[in-house]
Amino acid sequence: MANEAELKTPAPEAPGPVRLLRQIRDVMARKGDAQERLDSLVDIIAANLRAEVCSIYLRRSGGSLELCATEGLKAEAVHATRLNAGEGLVGWVAQTARPLSTISAQEHPAFSYRPETGEDAYQTFLGVPILRGGRLLGVLVVQSVEKRGYREDEIETLQTIAMVLAEVIASGDLLDTVALEGIELRPSRFETLQGRAFAGGIAIGTALVHKPHVGSTRLIADDPDAEEQRLRLALGQLQSDLDRWAERDARVGAGLTGEVFDTYRMFARDPAWTGKLFDAVRSGLTAEAAVERARNEQRARLTQTRDAFFSDRLHDLEDIANRTLRYLSGEDTQVELPENAILIARHIGPADLLEYGAGTLKGVALEEGSASGHAAIVARALGIPLVGRLDDALDRAEDGDVVILDGESGAIHLRPSDEVLESYTARVALRGKRQAEFARLRHRPSRTKDGQDAELMLNAGLLVDLPQMGATGADGMGLFRTEFQFMIAEQLPRLEAQIEVYSQVLDAARDKPVIFRTLDLGGDKILPYVSSERERNPALGWRAIRMSLDRKGLLRYQLRALMTASAGRELNVMFPMLATVGEYRAARALALKEFEWARSRGRPVPDKLNIGAMVETPAFAWALPSVMGETDFVSVGVNDLFQFFFAADRDHPRLTDRYDALDPYFLTMLARIRDICAEHGVPAGVCGEMSGRPLEAMALMGLGFRRLSMPPSGFGPVKAMALQLDVKSLAERLQEVIRSDNGSTREFLKEYAAQSNFSGLTHWQIG
Ligand code: PEP
Ligand code: MG
């Protein structure tokens, strides 16, 4: 912000910003040479702000800033003066993405003298960033001879002008100008962003930016009073909805305090935030543009902050701004998908992703995300590729860009050249062929080369997953995540609705086993109709079985639905996130009680009830021997077990690669679980994403696990591996490697796979 100490001499009253904005609009609407239009703009701005100098610096693709138009500096400096990021006051504004106002430019520590501009005569400097999203397009500067401080409202006005400039510039009609060659007005060239692949596959489609910009035609208000009224209405609606939701949750007694809403409500009422919006509208912007401007500034600051708490607050503000934009546009969250849409977002929750729907969405590209995060799980369930950890994806992609999303290498290619497009089209065709080969394996029994029977099962959670049973030839469903159904519903599913879903799942499995996991809510699995408490450590918080045992009604209700749906068949049910023997016993007792209750009343009950325990915490892995007499099966939830073993958040983008599931000590723990179960004759399986990766699945089989439950995309490669595996010989060698304490077993397994000459598995599948 402006240096307050320097705001000494008050300037004359600012001329009406509304008039200025209209003049800018008229200039931009003119046909003809872009340079001429930029020249007219600087004239108008200088005159309106009573400055001798007004200059526009635009960012070149290499990051330097080029003087592209000026009123007041020497004409020969235009397109000749370039400043590196961080160089001079202009570079400072660009680097910090903040305005800078000073009455003694030469004395500022960042000042850098450029004689060709003739700027030494001008002492007073005001520069503001030209931002779009979090991306810097350039810097707008006014300078004057007279030593005078710019008032806050003048700084605001210049920022507003910069925002309008940004949208107009990026909307594209300056693009084809020779004079502006090398200037990056909007991303238009082919570029590749490298991230991480979290759900496999390749998609070619059209970018749909999750939070698009306000179009340049909706920036300048025709009637500022009407805009003010619209903004007032939208903010009123935002506040009353937030109040209503908070109140409803309190009434329903969900027990989930509305802390999230409290934070939101605080922001929505914050006079600093709302005041800024009203100021922007009064200066001539539309209500949407005012919100967009505030959002741009937040986003630019977000890209610079390293502080997690501050960054969370900025995310909250961004959410509020997005919600306000939705009220203004009068539409709800539903977005029209272009054909073959590839969604580009910062982060997306599983519920939002499901809302975008299966079928039309071809892929997802995220700035954040992780392999075992639930967005990735949902993407795999939907059979669409997801690439995450793509820095700046939101700012590099524009709605409508052609995108290739490579869920194998973890890259996205924006606006690809014809050659790249052709080569990917060929790869998509090849993939289709390979998948057809895998599909041929689906009728083969899951038996290793040395004759050991395995059960390769499906992880599912939605009705859209069910056709995968036939498509993959799975030996059953090793994990049905029941909470997904709750997450996509508008309201808490009634008993009948739950019975209906579970019946359909059992029907789809025919006579193959299905293991239902009871509700695993909390963490990032949030119900849209129940506000959840924002916890400091949601993964370690009040979730899954903890919530179920504290709110028994919901669990009993679900158990009742499961029993009814399984009438006359077998029911396998297991509990998530157990940490103690007591929790398991309490949950098991509840299931048995529900069974007895139904039977004693002559209600339908399953022929056979098998109750299992999930091992997802190291605590429960240690407690396991104590429940051996009371459990019918065990399933290792390796996503969570991994996160708690290494104390590494499974959703944390920086930790995705930090620890290896093939770490010898992690494998030692898995081996111990498997040995305890084998000793007591209790069937033990592994569910979680690890089972669906051929190298990891090979390790699990080498440890003795025969039941692996995985996402559909894992079937082809894992089955191809299993059919060619001599599991006995692997087991012996694996034991040795684990004992040798030589770091990860990954290299050994890769070599083993290479020596065994596994066919049909390419490097990416095995590596
Ligand atoms: C797991 O943690 O491994 C698991 C299967 O459960 P979820 O991924 O749903 O947490
Ligand atoms: Mg889990």
Side-chain angles (χ1 to χ4, degrees):
M1 267 282 116
N3 182 342
E4 303 240 345
E6 292 177 342
L7 302 177
K8 285 179 190 150
T9 330
E13 194 57 30
V18 178
R19 200 187 65 212
L20 171 57
L21 286 177
R22 292 212 180 121
Q23 283 176 306
I24 291 175
R25 181 172 60 183
D26 293 344
V27 171
M28 295 315 295
R30 270 187 229 152
K31 292 270 166 282
D33 187 59
Q35 184 66 48
E36 268 172 29
R37 278 183 286 165
L38 286 181
D39 292 344
S40 305
L41 283 180
V42 288
D43 277 359
I44 295 171
I45 300 167
N48 275 273
L49 292 184
R50 299 184 195 170
E52 281 92 15
V53 176
C54 173
S55 312
I56 295 174
Y57 293 81
L58 293 176
R59 190 179 180 279
R60 295 183 59 82
S61 34
S64 63
L65 292 149
E66 180 172 312
L67 178 64
C68 286
T70 185
E71 160 62 30
L73 297 184
K74 289 186 186 161
E76 56 269 31
V78 173
H79 298 304
T81 296
R82 287 184 190 166
L83 295 157
N84 291 323
E87 187 187 349
L89 303 188
V90 171
W92 189 93
V93 173
Q95 200 166 45
T96 58
R98 283 165 181 262
L100 172 68
S101 167
T102 172
I103 54 169
S104 44
Q106 276 89 334
E107 284 164 33
H108 194 282
F111 182 75
S112 149
Y113 181 50
R114 287 307 186 90
E116 76 275 15
T117 61
E119 67 178 327
D120 30 333
Y122 307 105
Q123 281 295 318
T124 301
F125 173 101
L126 168 60
V128 298
I130 305 176
L131 295 169
R132 187 159 189 265
R135 192 157 54 90
L136 182 102
L137 299 184
V139 176
L140 176 63
V141 175
V142 288
Q143 290 171 274
S144 55
V145 177
E146 185 198 355
K147 280 198 170 194
R148 71 169 186 99
Y150 282 98
R151 289 190 315 262
E152 282 294 338
D153 64 324
E154 291 175 292
I155 299 173
E156 284 281 320
T157 301
L158 201 65
Q159 284 180 279
T160 300
I161 295 168
M163 138 126 206
V164 173
L165 265 181
E167 288 304 322
V168 174
I169 285 171
S171 70
D173 65 345
L174 291 179
L175 276 175
D176 45 1
T177 317
V178 179
L180 297 183
E181 213 168 292
I183 300 288
E184 200 180 55
L185 298 179
R186 64 171 261 169
S188 58
R189 277 170 301 136
F190 168 37
E191 58 187 307
T192 294
L193 306 184
Q194 186 60 49
R196 298 263 313 141
F198 297 140
I202 295 177
I204 301 177
T206 308
L208 171 70
V209 180
H210 189 37
K211 304 283 153 57
H213 302 281
V214 175
S216 61
T217 50
R218 278 291 304 145
L219 289 174
I220 300 173
D222 291 323
D223 178 354
D225 291 341
E227 289 303 317
E228 200 174 324
Q229 184 59 15
R230 287 182 67 230
L231 181 62
R232 206 176 294 289
L233 275 175
L235 290 175
Q237 204 180 343
L238 171 73
Q239 283 167 3
S240 70
D241 277 356
L242 289 173
D243 290 348
R244 201 159 40 81
W245 289 331
E247 202 184 286
R248 186 192 60 188
D249 287 325
R251 232 186 15 246
V252 169
L256 305 164
T257 62
E259 245 183 56
V260 175
F261 285 133
D262 286 346
T263 315
Y264 278 24
R265 284 154 89 195
M266 193 182 78
F267 280 132
R269 290 214 163 81
D270 179 6
W273 188 67
T274 53
K276 228 172 164 24
L277 299 181
F278 280 110
D279 282 349
V281 162
R282 280 182 207 118
S283 75
L285 290 184
T286 58
E288 286 91 337
V291 178
E292 169 87 351
R293 205 195 102 179
R295 195 174 65 163
N296 284 348
E297 286 166 21
Q298 283 148 21
R299 200 168 154 78
R301 277 196 280 158
L302 191 61
T303 54
Q304 288 172 12
T305 182
R306 300 245 174 280
D307 179 286
F309 180 76
F310 189 49
S311 145
D312 271 357
R313 297 292 79 77
L314 287 172
H315 282 325
D316 287 343
L317 266 173
E318 198 179 337
D319 287 347
I320 297 248
N322 290 330
R323 198 170 276 282
T324 312
L325 281 177
R326 290 208 292 262
Y327 289 125
L328 284 168
S329 63
E331 55 178 35
D332 60 358
T333 48
Q334 216 58 44
V335 183
E336 191 145 326
L337 292 187
E339 213 176 313
N340 296 331
I342 293 186
L343 185 68
I344 313 229
R346 172 171 56 80
H347 162 92
I348 190 155
D352 266 355
L353 184 50
L354 287 166
E355 206 171 296
Y356 272 105
T360 38
L361 199 60
K362 287 284 172 283
V364 183
L366 301 179
E367 290 186 346
E368 299 179 355
S370 72
S372 50
H374 287 107
I377 291 170
V378 172
R380 275 176 231 135
L382 296 174
I384 57 177
L386 183 145
V387 172
R389 295 181 59 193
L390 293 159
D391 286 345
D392 296 333
L394 275 179
D395 295 326
R396 307 308 308 166
E398 294 277 337
D399 267 333
D401 279 347
V402 174
V403 183
I404 298 171
L405 185 128
D406 186 338
E408 292 175 5
S409 71
I412 62 169
H413 307 286
L414 299 166
R415 306 166 289 275
S417 60
D418 289 348
E419 296 76 31
V420 175
L421 205 55
E422 264 169 40
S423 110
Y424 266 95
T425 311
R427 273 179 67 184
V428 169
L430 189 71
R431 250 186 95 81
K433 223 173 106 195
R434 197 186 302 137
Q435 265 158 357
E437 281 162 23
F438 286 147
R440 275 201 288 280
L441 301 180
R442 70 172 186 257
H443 298 301
R444 301 255 309 264
S446 308
R447 187 166 302 135
T448 62
K449 195 167 132 197
D450 56 339
Q452 305 254 339
D453 282 329
E455 284 174 286
L456 303 182
M457 302 174 91
L458 185 71
N459 288 348
L462 293 167
L463 293 179
V464 292
D465 290 325
L466 301 184
Q468 295 291 353
M469 276 300 291
T472 55
D475 300 312
M477 252 182 255
L479 167 66
F480 189 85
R481 292 181 166 99
T482 55
E483 64 279 358
F484 282 0
Q485 207 55 43
F486 284 65
M487 284 157 61
I488 55 171
E490 300 265 305
Q491 52 196 15
L492 205 68
R494 297 178 164 281
L495 189 67
E496 294 71 33
Q498 290 188 48
I499 295 171
E500 175 59 25
V501 170
Y502 304 146
S503 305
Q504 285 193 42
V505 173
L506 290 164
D507 291 347
R510 296 165 190 256
D511 49 354
K512 292 176 178 170
V514 177
I515 301 177
F516 289 97
R517 194 240 331 252
T518 61
L519 288 175
D520 183 6
L521 292 169
D524 74 339
K525 293 187 214 170
I526 292 164
L527 299 183
Y529 38 87
V530 180
S531 80
S532 61
E533 188 174 337
R534 177 158 291 197
E535 298 180 319
R536 246 176 203 229
N537 290 305
L540 304 178
W542 191 58
R543 53 172 290 203
I545 197 67
R546 300 166 186 179
M547 205 189 264
S548 295
L549 290 175
D550 290 357
R551 298 276 178 273
K552 292 197 178 60
L554 200 57
L555 178 59
R556 290 190 59 184
Y557 211 57
Q558 181 179 34
L559 288 166
R560 192 168 302 173
L562 284 167
M563 306 253 175
T564 313
S566 316
R569 323 190 228 203
E570 182 175 271
L571 171 61
N572 302 298
V573 62
M574 64 183 181
F575 304 107
M577 277 294 293
L578 298 161
T580 65
V581 174
E583 283 172 347
Y584 174 67
R585 288 190 179 140
R588 181 181 162 87
L590 214 67
L592 292 173
K593 191 169 158 193
E594 200 53 46
F595 183 80
E596 281 312 320
W597 180 88
R599 195 169 52 181
S600 63
R601 278 166 181 71
R603 303 211 175 181
V605 285
D607 281 352
K608 189 161 191 292
L609 172 63
N610 298 316
I611 301 175
M614 283 188 87
V615 183
E616 299 194 278
T617 62
F620 202 72
W622 285 100
L624 203 55
S626 304
V627 298
M628 281 292 100
E630 322 160 38
T631 185
D632 299 308
F633 64 94
V634 161
S635 182
V636 186
V638 81
N639 297 338
D640 275 314
L641 189 59
F642 179 86
Q643 99 165 327
F644 298 125
F645 185 79
F646 287 105
D649 182 347
R650 65 195 254 183
D651 286 326
H652 197 304
R654 283 178 195 253
L655 301 181
T656 304
D657 296 326
R658 200 167 185 109
Y659 304 103
D660 191 348
L662 297 176
D663 173 278
Y665 301 103
F666 187 58
L667 294 186
T668 304
M669 176 164 71
L670 294 179
R672 179 177 183 272
I673 295 170
R674 138 82 208 168
D675 292 346
I676 292 168
C677 292
E679 213 177 288
H680 294 84
V682 173
V686 176
C687 60
E689 312 311 290
M690 182 178 173
S691 302
R693 295 193 290 265
L695 207 64
E696 279 81 346
M698 195 165 109
L700 293 171
M701 294 188 76
L703 297 181
F705 287 102
R706 295 289 174 268
R707 178 187 283 174
L708 303 182
S709 193
M710 66 196 79
S713 57
F715 268 86
V718 169
K719 190 151 185 185
M721 177 279 296
L723 294 176
Q724 299 172 75
L725 182 67
D726 183 341
V727 78
K728 272 205 207 99
S729 93
L730 170 71
E732 280 161 25
R733 294 193 48 198
L734 185 61
Q735 288 302 334
E736 272 166 42
V737 178
I738 290 177
R739 272 198 295 267
S740 72
D741 187 19
N742 249 347
S744 169
T745 57
R746 185 168 295 278
E747 283 316 309
F748 157 74
L749 289 162
K750 269 192 203 173
E751 247 169 61
Y752 186 87
Q755 280 165 13
S756 310
N757 248 336
F758 286 158
S759 69
L761 291 175
T762 53
H763 177 74
W764 64 265
Q765 286 165 326
I766 212 76

